[in-house]
Every structure is written in C-alpha cells, then in structure tokens.
Amino acid sequence: TQSDLVRPSQLTPQRVSILYSNLTEPSSQGGDTMEMEYGARFAQAAVAAGCAGGSRSTNAKRRVLLVQTNRLTGESKTIDRPVEALLKNPTDNGENPFLMPQDSLVCYDSTVTNVSGVLRIISNVFSPFFLIRDLFSND
C-alpha cells in the first residue's frame, strides 16, 4: 500500500513545503507556504492552514481543495472535500492522500461567512458617512 512506501528514511526529506490560501485570513501575496512533516496527509494540512474550526453554524459548509501535480507527467489532480467530512474520515487514502512537495491547498469559506464579510465591508464603508451626517443633523 501507499502507507508502506511513505515513511521517513535517509533519502526522504524531513518536511515538505505546501502552498496554501485561506480566504478568511488572506495573505498579501495571495498564498502562503507552510512546512509539514513528511508523511502528513491532506486532513492535517487542512487543520494547519486554518480551514477548520470556528462556529459550527457559520463554518459547517466550508470546503477545502487539494491540488497535486504529478512530477513525471505534469498532470494535476484535485480533491475537493467538505472540511467536516474530511476530518471525520481522515483514514480514507483516496480522499486523504499523503502530501507531496509543492502541493497546494485552498480553503473556501461557507456562504454564511462570505455574506457576513460583505455586510461588514458595506458597514465599514458607510459608517463614516453616517457619523458625519449625525454630526451636522439638527435634532
């Protein structure tokens, strides 16, 4: 099995570099890099990247996408999973593969989180206008 092949040795790196993007806490460059232990899996990277956790009501529908590129053929493979399903069944090898160097991970927020973010932006834009209006109103 693949589990038998992915084990630390003198030839394997101790850590692998993973690219990730978490839209809840975006970086200035559009992506960050994290180091994971050799032999780590997709579910572990989802947790390390901050894709999991928070309020169940607002984050229950979060998704996480793993992009892996075959170094020999150049073909890319993607796995798109609900975060909660990935974490509840982390031993499924087909949907929770071992991480390889330069794999990419993308966290997608739930609809509730996205809508609340838009409302927060609108509120921040209009707050100064309401304050100025209140200052000059004749009550």
Side-chain angles (χ1 to χ4, degrees), residues 14-16 18 34-38 40-41 44-45 48 99:
Q14 291 183 352
R15 303 180 72 70
V16 292
I18 306 298
M34 68 178 158
E35 296 286 320
M36 298 291 296
E37 293 289 326
Y38 181 78
R41 291 182 176 266
Q44 293 166 309
L99 299 172

Side-chain angles (χ1 to χ4, degrees), residues 32-82:
D32 290 310
T33 304
M34 68 178 158
E35 296 286 320
M36 298 291 296
E37 293 289 326
Y38 181 78
R41 291 182 176 266
F42 179 26
Q44 293 166 309
V47 172
C51 300
S55 168
R56 194 182 238 299
S57 62
T58 58
N59 295 328
K61 303 260 183 191
R62 275 188 179 171
R63 300 192 66 78
V64 62
L65 176 77
L66 176 67
V67 180
Q68 294 186 307
T69 302
N70 183 318
R71 303 292 176 244
L72 298 175
T73 65
E75 292 182 30
S76 292
K77 170 185 162 186
T78 61
I79 300 172
D80 184 358
R81 298 277 315 270

